Amino acid sequence: MQKVDYFRPETIEEALELLAAGREEYKILAGGTDLVLHLRERKVSPKALVDITHISALRGIREEQGKIIIKAATTFTEVATSSIILEKIPALADACKVVGSPQIRNQGTIGGNIVNASPAADSVPALVLFDGVAKLKSKRGTREILLTELLQGAGKTAIEPDELLEEVILTPYPGSVSGFYKLGRRNALAISRISGAVELVFAGSKIEKARVALGSVAPNPFRAAELEQFLSGREFNEETKEELIVLAKKLVADKLGSRASAPYKREAIAGVMREILNLIEQRRGR
């Protein structure tokens, strides 16, 4: 691994000063579960690392006026065990519970998972599901941007070199029920081959509102508007579930086209959707 300078700021302001000075030559370290590997493989060659994991203002989860705010350096373990997350947006807890190994979950961060912009990022489909908004800070000011706009392809984001991801803001539907599921080659350590997240609001036996997000199907996780529109106003029964699966298979096939993974993923999405809908049904009955 190449030699790089190392900075460990104690405040957000100190970190922003470093990023402003270093510009594109400085790289943020937040957990480092992916970045350290990229350094070893010489995929990135920064002049310096700015380690933000010791900044207490970048850790924590809170609820404000129906929104759930997760600071960027909050670990997957902290998210997965948060009472707020488990109660209000369990799909995100589901996703964070299956990230890597316990060591990775204890060290890896929500912010890092977003900024890496991996097509297979476990937490991001759930973050996108709840209309996730990234709050970015720099010496120039603060701006907010939807995650679906922030993510601009595999490994690409709209974050400027001097900007720091401070937090992600989620807006779940009041009274919703949600779930997440992924398929990988090997249980917890597996990189996701395909994943999904669903949020539903019920009015009696009918689905009043629906959100659906898919991962490992496109360059970045995305909201599946066609599936959301189909679910809205439908009875939550076996017929609806099976029709949804048919539509999901067609959507995945259209997205992947002639890629080698297309036949597998077209069939795999059926299992993913069944698992999520069964999970929602269990949670709805509690």
Side-chain angles (χ1 to χ4, degrees):
M1 187 167 67
Q2 70 267 33
K3 187 180 184 301
V4 296
D5 292 331
Y6 174 79
F7 299 100
R8 196 174 95 166
E10 297 296 331
T11 66
I12 292 175
E13 290 68 30
E14 287 177 25
L16 296 181
E17 290 282 358
L18 287 164
L19 292 175
R23 299 177 185 172
E24 66 274 2
E25 295 183 330
Y26 284 20
K27 198 86 173 168
I28 294 171
L29 177 69
T33 53
D34 287 318
L35 179 58
V36 171
L37 290 175
H38 293 164
L39 288 168
R40 286 176 179 162
E41 295 166 359
R42 299 186 180 275
K43 290 182 179 178
V44 294
S45 303
K47 183 178 178 181
L49 296 177
V50 179
D51 186 350
I52 64 169
T53 54
H54 302 277
I55 301 176
S56 59
L58 289 176
R59 303 278 293 261
I61 301 165
R62 71 184 190 276
E63 184 179 7
E64 285 184 3
Q65 299 177 334
K67 297 183 183 294
I68 295 170
I69 299 148
I70 307 172
K71 293 291 186 175
T74 305
T75 67
F76 295 119
T77 295
E78 289 168 335
V79 174
T81 58
S82 162
S83 58
I84 294 173
I85 303 298
L86 288 165
E87 180 186 352
K88 301 290 185 178
I89 49 173
L92 182 57
D94 296 337
C96 290
K97 285 174 185 173
V98 295
V99 173
S101 64
Q103 294 91 336
I104 290 173
R105 292 193 292 275
N106 288 340
Q107 188 170 335
T109 64
I110 282 288
N113 213 213
I114 294 168
V115 173
N116 285 336
S118 167
D122 282 326
S123 73
V124 179
L127 297 172
V128 166
L129 183 74
F130 299 110
D131 276 348
V133 172
K135 184 178 179 181
L136 305 172
K137 292 192 81 168
S138 71
K139 293 289 290 180
R140 296 175 285 111
T142 301
R143 69 183 176 114
E144 293 183 356
I145 179 172
L146 279 167
L147 291 184
T148 49
E149 297 174 8
L150 178 91
L151 301 170
Q152 299 193 334
K156 299 176 182 177
T157 73
I159 301 174
E160 297 294 334
D162 64 337
E163 287 184 314
L164 174 70
L165 173 59
E166 181 184 15
E167 60 193 28
V168 59
I169 304 159
L170 309 178
T171 310
Y173 289 136
S176 69
V177 188
S178 66
F180 166 94
Y181 190 78
K182 81 165 185 178
L183 282 178
R185 287 189 174 89
R186 306 184 314 278
N187 299 331
L189 289 176
I191 291 174
S192 174
R193 294 200 72 188
I194 190 165
S195 64
V198 177
E199 180 192 24
L200 301 178
V201 176
F202 293 96
S205 62
K206 284 190 175 182
I207 301 165
E208 185 177 19
K209 296 178 183 177
R211 286 172 174 160
V212 181
L214 299 179
S216 299
V217 174
N220 297 118
F222 65 97
R223 288 272 297 279
E226 306 97 312
L227 304 185
E228 295 176 348
Q229 290 165 8
F230 168 78
L231 285 170
S232 298
R234 296 265 176 168
E235 292 284 336
F236 188 63
N237 55 28
E238 292 305 314
E239 182 181 353
T240 294
K241 292 177 187 178
E242 292 306 314
E243 288 184 32
L244 175 70
I245 286 166
V246 171
L247 290 175
K249 288 169 72 171
K250 182 180 183 303
L251 174 61
V252 168
D254 290 345
K255 285 283 185 182
L256 292 173
S258 59
R259 291 184 190 176
S261 63
Y264 166 80
K265 291 188 176 184
R266 185 183 63 238
E267 297 306 317
I269 191 61
V272 168
M273 281 296 165
R274 284 195 181 97
E275 291 288 347
I276 296 170
L277 295 173
N278 289 340
L279 189 56
I280 286 176
E281 194 159 23
Q282 291 168 20
R283 287 174 174 162
R284 185 184 175 217
R286 289 176 189 171

